[in-house]
Amino acid sequence: MKIRPSQRLSYRLMDEHDAKLLFQLDQNPKVMKYINGGKISSQQDIDDILMPRMLKYLNPEKGWGIWQVCLSESEEYLGWILIRPMNFFIDAANPDDLELGWRFFEKNWGKGYATEAAKHLMQNIAQITGVKTYSAIAVKENHASIAIMKKLGMRYQKSGIHKDPLGDWQVDYYQLRLQD
């Protein structure tokens, strides 16, 4: 699936050749704060954990995967947007409810890139696949991610334990159902 650029940004579905880009982003403890408490990822973590996980849900026809986000003008790598079925790793995957996630370099925070990218990808994937429900999770203290969820039109659903083979987290769940 190819996604046309938005106002400022361009998009490319990442693949097995992008381990170095994923590694670069995970080198700032502030970026990793609400993911794992601020522990930076080693290249081995990327190669042995993140890449195999990404390849399990990568589905270019449906738009599932990690979308690289770049400035259209300069092609500077800003970060990424994750799109995959909600609850993918606990045998409860729902292909009609896509989970959104994002990770951007700290220097790009507060510029609206994550909101612009997520909204653009959501709309385009919905047009191509017909998916109408998007969800996102965040720990309660991650106010910036929750603000993005609200800007996307997502509404709070519940608080609870999000189960994952890498660990279970107490999170807030947000969701948006797009209009037909």
Side-chain angles (χ1 to χ4, degrees), residues 95-96 123-134 178 180:
D96 296 320
Q123 291 169 342
N124 279 269
I125 289 169
Q127 286 177 338
I128 294 166
T129 67
V131 169
K132 299 291 184 203
T133 304
Y134 289 92
L178 298 176
D180 289 323

Side-chain angles (χ1 to χ4, degrees), residues 163-180:
K163 299 218 172 268
D164 188 283
L166 295 179
D168 299 339
W169 296 278
Q170 177 69 35
V171 298
D172 287 349
Y173 289 82
Y174 282 75
Q175 190 174 75
L176 171 68
R177 294 180 204 278
L178 298 176
Q179 301 297 325
D180 289 323

Side-chain angles (χ1 to χ4, degrees), residues 58-71:
L58 180 64
N59 186 324
E61 293 79 32
K62 295 181 180 183
W64 302 351
I66 296 177
W67 288 88
Q68 179 184 13
V69 179
C70 293
L71 274 177

Side-chain angles (χ1 to χ4, degrees), residues 24-132:
Q24 291 170 6
L25 188 52
D26 285 9
Q27 297 311 293
N28 182 336
K30 290 181 182 176
V31 170
M32 303 303 290
K33 180 177 181 178
Y34 297 112
I35 305 209
N36 62 17
K39 178 182 174 275
I40 62 171
S41 298
S42 68
Q43 187 64 57
Q44 187 169 353
D45 293 336
I46 300 296
D47 295 342
D48 295 348
I49 300 169
L50 184 60
M51 291 303 291
R53 280 174 62 96
M54 179 188 77
L55 294 174
K56 284 182 182 173
Y57 57 81
L58 180 64
N59 186 324
E61 293 79 32
K62 295 181 180 183
W64 302 351
I66 296 177
W67 288 88
Q68 179 184 13
V69 179
C70 293
L71 274 177
S72 295
E73 178 178 293
S74 66
E75 297 188 23
E76 176 188 354
Y77 172 43
L78 304 175
W80 53 253
I81 301 286
L82 162 85
I83 299 179
R84 68 178 173 215
M86 193 67 185
N87 298 314
F88 186 83
F89 288 106
I90 60 164
D91 297 327
N94 182 352
D96 296 320
D97 181 5
L98 296 183
E99 177 183 2
L100 294 175
W102 39 83
R103 200 173 299 173
F104 283 76
F105 289 101
E106 182 183 6
K107 69 179 185 168
N108 299 317
W109 295 354
K111 297 180 180 179
Y113 295 142
T115 303
E116 179 181 333
K119 182 176 265 186
H120 189 74
L121 288 165
M122 288 166 58
Q123 291 169 342
N124 279 269
I125 289 169
Q127 286 177 338
I128 294 166
T129 67
V131 169
K132 299 291 184 203

Side-chain angles (χ1 to χ4, degrees), residues 136-150:
I137 59 171
V139 296
K140 189 177 291 303
E141 298 79 19
N142 191 345
H143 302 293
S145 280
I146 290 172
I148 292 167
M149 293 173 201
K150 291 176 180 178

